[in-house]
Amino acid sequence: MTISVIPASNNLQKGYTMGVNMKTGKANLKYDRMLDLYMRLSDGEIINKEDAAKEYQVDCRSIQRDIDALRNFFSNQTVSRGEIAEIVYDREKKGYRLEFAKKIRLTNAELFTVVKLLLESRSLDSSEMKPLIGKLLDACVPPSEKKKMTELVNNELFHYTGPHHKRILVDKIWELSEAMYAHRKLDMRYRRLDGVETQKTVKPVGLMASEYYFYLAGFEKDCDKDHAGYPTIYRIDRIESCRVLNETFSIPYKDRIEEGEFRKKMPFMFSGPLTRVEFIYRGMDINTVLDRLPSAEYKKREDGTYLVKTEVYGIYGISMWLGSQGDKVEVLAGIGDRKVNKE
């Protein structure tokens, strides 16, 4: 048997930096020093680089490398443990400190709810939905809980059926959102419901999701003569090609839309002027109306029915919905001032 003795100098060649802590008088290897810095930062201490260099009897570059290495460590912990911890430089106190933020990992209950919402939406092709769910589980579930969570969603994930258009949408949605954020026009080729393809220049102003599909809201042409005062709605899976132009746009203040408020008044994703609709609802549960028409207001009448008033963009979608309610609905105003026939 041959026993090799490694000289102490080899340790230095491998990256161990010897120093002496002036407070304790003890020799410190690089990793001892880093652990000491870690503990001090975790305790809320401010680390001044020059003072630390003197204390550990090393140069300032060594302390800076230690701090950079600890930064990387805390960054990795954010990904794996979900807690944001960052080493920041405090200019006022002229030193580094550890700053904690809230946990970013979802609880099991929150994650399961998000996964169920995604699966029930059926808005993405399985080739996008399944990897997305997998990434959520990997990022948010502790190893001890992963088996249980995976078993809870696996059956539904296995039988998941996406929309029949089979389009890949995630990257396209993000591209459209970036164009909308930068106020840049789009040159896009769009396939209508009847199969006819048209070339359009569009000013994107909103992105929405509703009942299996994603939609883009945008104004056409310079003056939007075809749809003055309200945007046109495009199903994103029907956008055959799209090019973000360098040309920017601005929307007149009177035509600007608040996406959340706009979405409440467009529950059926059909374009059209803003129309006020009034009707009597004779059903048992008024909440089914309020959930379908988020902008609706109602008043219960003496006979137990409800007077409902709402504003919606476009008349076609709400006409179909009211018609589907049969004798539960009597239209008073907004749709030809006549009762909508369920046929």
Side-chain angles (χ1 to χ4, degrees):
M1 179 182 294
T2 302
I3 300 177
S4 300
V5 179
I6 302 176
S9 60
N10 282 2
N11 286 342
L12 297 179
Q13 293 173 5
K14 291 185 177 183
Y16 293 90
T17 303
M18 189 70 74
V20 177
N21 188 307
M22 298 301 290
K23 291 182 179 179
T24 64
K26 296 180 181 179
N28 293 282
L29 296 175
K30 173 182 178 179
Y31 299 116
D32 293 329
R33 186 178 69 242
M34 288 180 64
L35 286 172
D36 192 38
L37 288 170
Y38 170 83
M39 296 293 292
R40 293 167 66 178
L41 286 165
S42 298
D43 287 339
E45 188 175 337
I46 303 291
I47 302 297
N48 178 277
K49 187 166 61 175
E50 289 75 18
D51 291 345
K54 292 176 183 178
E55 182 181 327
Y56 293 107
Q57 290 191 334
V58 295
D59 58 34
C60 289
R61 289 178 298 177
S62 295
I63 298 299
Q64 187 62 58
R65 284 193 292 269
D66 293 344
I67 291 173
D68 290 341
L70 288 171
R71 269 202 180 108
N72 290 334
F73 170 77
F74 284 117
S75 177
N76 291 333
Q77 291 300 301
T78 297
V79 174
S80 62
R81 302 182 62 181
E83 186 175 59
I84 301 176
E86 183 182 8
I87 298 176
V88 297
Y89 184 74
D90 191 321
R91 295 185 181 278
E92 184 178 331
K93 297 182 179 179
K94 298 180 179 180
Y96 293 92
R97 60 182 171 82
L98 188 61
E99 190 173 85
F100 288 95
K102 63 182 181 179
K103 288 267 188 178
I104 61 171
R105 175 178 285 159
L106 298 174
T107 66
N108 287 348
E110 291 169 337
L111 176 62
F112 187 67
T113 301
V114 169
V115 169
K116 291 292 287 183
L117 284 170
L118 283 170
L119 291 171
E120 293 299 330
S121 74
R122 292 186 51 225
S123 55
L124 294 174
D125 185 70
S126 60
S127 64
E128 290 191 299
M129 181 65 80
K130 291 180 179 181
L132 180 59
I133 299 296
K135 289 176 182 178
L136 278 173
L137 296 180
D138 288 340
C140 299
V141 180
S144 60
E145 296 290 320
K146 191 169 183 179
K147 183 175 183 294
K148 177 173 67 177
M149 187 66 72
T150 301
E151 290 180 356
L152 283 170
V153 302
N154 257 358
N155 184 62
E156 191 168 357
L157 198 59
F158 178 79
H159 293 286
Y160 175 79
T161 302
H164 288 285
H165 58 65
K166 304 292 183 184
R167 296 298 181 95
I168 303 301
L169 297 179
V170 171
D171 288 341
K172 182 181 288 187
I173 291 168
W174 180 244
E175 181 184 18
L176 294 172
S177 68
E178 287 188 310
M180 182 180 70
Y181 179 80
H183 298 279
R184 292 172 65 181
K185 293 183 180 181
L186 303 171
D187 179 26
M188 68 184 201
R189 184 162 53 90
Y190 186 73
R191 176 175 48 82
R192 299 187 326 208
L193 182 61
D194 59 8
V196 175
E197 293 187 3
T198 58
Q199 199 75 24
K200 298 176 178 290
T201 299
V202 176
K203 307 169 190 175
V205 294
L207 286 166
M208 296 162 287
S210 177
E211 295 180 305
Y212 319 123
Y213 305 116
F214 289 94
Y215 296 87
L216 169 71
F219 289 100
E220 294 184 22
K221 303 181 181 180
D222 291 334
C223 299
D224 195 34
K225 295 178 181 178
D226 292 343
H227 305 285
Y230 61 92
T232 303
I233 303 300
Y234 307 94
R235 246 176 61 179
I236 294 179
D237 59 280
R238 291 185 185 151
I239 299 176
E240 297 295 333
S241 64
C242 182
R243 184 167 59 94
V244 180
L245 304 177
N246 290 326
E247 185 180 358
T248 59
F249 67 91
S250 61
I251 299 295
Y253 183 81
K254 66 182 180 63
D255 291 331
R256 290 180 183 177
I257 65 171
E258 295 182 13
E259 197 167 335
E261 188 65 23
F262 176 75
R263 179 66 182 86
K264 289 197 301 184
K265 294 180 180 180
M266 188 169 278
F268 304 102
M269 294 296 123
F270 286 100
S271 297
L274 187 62
T275 303
R276 187 167 182 83
V277 178
E278 296 183 18
F279 60 92
I280 294 172
Y281 180 69
R282 298 190 176 91
M284 296 180 62
D285 187 4
I286 188 61
N287 289 321
T288 59
V289 175
L290 302 179
D291 290 338
R292 198 68 181 88
L293 304 171
S295 65
E297 299 176 352
Y298 75 96
K299 181 179 180 181
K300 191 168 185 178
R301 308 198 320 166
E302 291 183 359
D303 61 358
T305 62
Y306 301 90
L307 175 63
V308 181
K309 299 179 181 181
T310 188
E311 288 185 327
V312 294
Y313 284 99
I315 208 68
Y316 184 66
I318 194 169
S319 295
M320 290 193 299
W321 183 79
L322 289 171
S324 71
Q325 301 303 303
D327 294 335
K328 294 179 183 178
V329 166
E330 179 185 348
V331 175
L332 302 178
I335 306 178
D337 294 339
R338 60 183 176 81
K339 183 174 179 179
V340 176
N341 192 296
K342 64 181 179 181
E343 282 82 27

